[in-house]
Amino acid sequence: MNDRPRAAGAAEVAASVVRPEVHALSAYVVAKAEGLVKLDAMENPYGVPPDVAARLAQALSNVAINRYPDGAAVATKAALARALGVGAADGVLLGNGSDELIQIIASTLARPGAVMLAPEPTFVMYRFSALNAGMRFVAVSLRPDFSLDLSAMLDAIERERPALVFLSYPNNPTGNLFAVEDIEAVIRATPGLVVVDEAYNAFADASFLPRIAEFPNLLVMRTLSKIGMAGIRLGYAVAAPAWIGEFNKLRPPYNVSGLTQAAVVALLSDTAWIGVQAQAICDERNRLETQLPLLPGVSVYPTRANFVVARFANANGVFEGLKVRRILVKNLDAWHPLLKGCLRITVGTPDENDRLLSALNELTLPT
Ligand SMILES: *Cc1c(COP(=O)(O)O)cnc(C)c1O
């Protein structure tokens, strides 16, 4: 079967038809984490409590997997509204993770020449979605303390007239909340849609969700990923129904699987466990924020997320040394000039954080 003559190999054919900007990319690499203490991806370190797991198993066993799921996801949206305080008059869009929502929003607004604008460093999926949708991406650097450079943002908005602005609130990978007045000014100045991405809302105690009705061009996005349910892939966006109606036209009709929908209803039928875990994570975050700067040559940035950004005198050495000690964090050193020397450490269980701190004790250098 292998003697069929071939004019060209698959790589050549692909290279002749794949979009050049895609061909030039390297695929997003998810770090291997087998057997490591995993503090690199902002996951919740706690599993689902046994009673909730039992309810989940029961719900999943009842799913009619021979049928397509409910494309409108009515029960799922009701569960979200009940559990997470989504307003009754607001429109809600569900996605296979917020990654898919970002993609749908970008594709919908990608008129020829349209601009997506975001501060940087920020969540890399924004830039990636601009490329995917064919939007021009414009980045405005944060200030060295990771706050928004408001005048640079307003200048860029005036110059570029963006169709879409992304603000991660708190910001990934820096962990801080931007000033409320700065965000308000960006929303007022932007001719297009401003997405406030609240992936870390559970740890932040700050939100623009109650302000949807106040701004006709505001969308707030959240996800279940950072509150213990990254595996089921569910993100949701809240905005005026006029926006949601447009996005629904490009949403694949069955983008949220029947298993995910049933899981959401079961997992959110009682939300006490989510609050308990989020509080434990905030307590441990505060402990890391206090303990890390006591190490020689280490400083930490203020954080309102489930991770801490710390600057080290020898970040690359510390990163490798942690790996040798079976602890995986995220090395931000080469990401952006403002992040030189920085590692991003997801808050783990008390035991995992103890292991991290004792490893860092061995690895940090007296200055
Ligand atoms: C983790 C994260 C998300 C979540 O993406 P999902 O696809 O829902 O897992 C979205 N936005 C930001 C800024 C994040 O850090």
Side-chain angles (χ1 to χ4, degrees):
M1 296 306 282
N2 274 334
D3 52 2
R4 189 159 54 96
R6 294 234 217 148
E12 281 110 317
V13 181
S16 72
V17 290
V18 169
R19 290 160 56 190
E21 67 275 24
V22 175
H23 189 62
L25 290 177
S26 30
Y28 188 90
V29 180
V30 177
K32 277 216 202 77
E34 293 245 293
L36 303 188
V37 175
K38 199 167 179 312
L39 305 179
D40 67 322
M42 280 81 80
E43 290 148 327
N44 177 325
Y46 303 103
V48 170
D51 57 322
V52 182
R55 202 163 63 223
L56 176 64
Q58 181 63 39
L60 293 183
S61 72
N62 287 332
V63 174
I65 54 174
N66 57 317
R67 302 292 179 193
Y68 284 105
D70 174 11
V74 174
T76 309
K77 285 180 189 164
L80 282 171
R82 237 188 352 262
L84 304 164
V86 174
D90 300 326
V92 178
L93 178 75
L94 303 186
N96 182 20
S98 18
D99 285 352
E100 187 189 34
L101 296 174
I102 295 166
Q103 196 56 60
I104 292 170
I105 293 167
S107 302
T108 307
L109 302 185
R111 290 188 185 197
V115 165
M116 177 194 294
L117 186 142
E120 273 196 342
T122 193
F123 191 41
V124 290
M125 280 297 150
Y126 308 148
R127 181 188 276 275
F128 179 77
S129 303
L131 178 131
N132 192 337
M135 295 181 97
R136 189 157 62 82
F137 185 80
V138 174
V140 176
S141 184
L142 294 173
R143 293 214 199 87
D145 67 355
F146 302 149
S147 63
L148 271 187
D149 185 340
L150 183 61
S151 67
M153 286 292 287
L154 295 178
D155 285 351
I157 290 167
E158 186 55 36
R159 189 176 67 241
E160 307 287 352
R161 310 303 294 159
L164 182 55
V165 173
F166 277 101
L167 297 173
S168 174
Y169 183 73
N171 189 41
N172 173 14
T174 59
N176 57 311
L177 287 170
F178 301 134
V180 170
E181 317 78 67
D182 290 357
I183 295 181
E184 291 168 345
V186 167
I187 298 171
R188 291 206 180 89
T190 299
L193 181 68
V194 176
V195 174
V196 174
D197 181 350
E198 298 189 347
Y200 300 96
N201 173 259
F203 318 103
D205 194 27
S207 177
F208 274 77
L209 190 61
R211 306 190 62 183
I212 299 275
E214 198 180 321
F215 301 103
N217 62 332
L218 170 64
L219 179 147
V220 172
M221 202 167 74
R222 291 191 187 166
T223 174
L224 299 186
S225 293
K226 309 294 163 25
I227 52 173
M229 294 166 271
I232 64 172
R233 311 300 301 129
L234 190 90
Y236 58 103
V238 184
W243 285 110
I244 301 301
E246 298 291 348
F247 299 133
N248 261 323
K249 297 172 189 172
L250 280 191
R251 179 180 64 84
Y254 303 117
N255 64 325
V256 179
S257 87
L259 291 171
T260 295
Q261 294 192 36
V264 171
V265 173
L267 289 164
L268 298 187
S269 66
D270 137 49
T271 52
W273 66 280
I274 299 174
V276 167
Q277 293 185 351
Q279 187 56 51
I281 289 166
C282 287
D283 292 347
E284 281 296 296
R285 173 189 70 195
N286 298 345
R287 182 164 77 97
L288 288 179
E289 264 191 298
T290 312
Q291 296 290 314
L292 287 169
L294 302 179
L295 298 165
V298 181
S299 54
V300 302
Y301 287 88
T303 174
R304 298 286 288 274
N306 63 343
F307 59 87
V308 180
V309 174
R311 177 165 270 132
F312 293 81
N314 55 332
N316 291 316
V318 170
F319 175 77
E320 293 304 329
L322 286 174
K323 238 161 110 178
V324 169
R325 289 162 180 76
R326 319 299 294 157
I327 298 171
L328 184 65
V329 300
K330 187 80 171 183
N331 188 353
L332 303 178
D333 181 71
W335 264 38
H336 189 278
L338 291 181
L339 296 170
K340 189 123 197 50
C342 290
L343 303 180
R344 187 187 67 196
I345 302 165
T346 303
V347 177
T349 61
D351 187 49
E352 290 172 336
N353 301 330
D354 283 343
R355 284 180 61 182
L356 170 87
L357 287 167
S358 75
L360 287 176
N361 236 322
E362 296 170 27
L363 290 165
T364 48
L365 307 171
T367 44

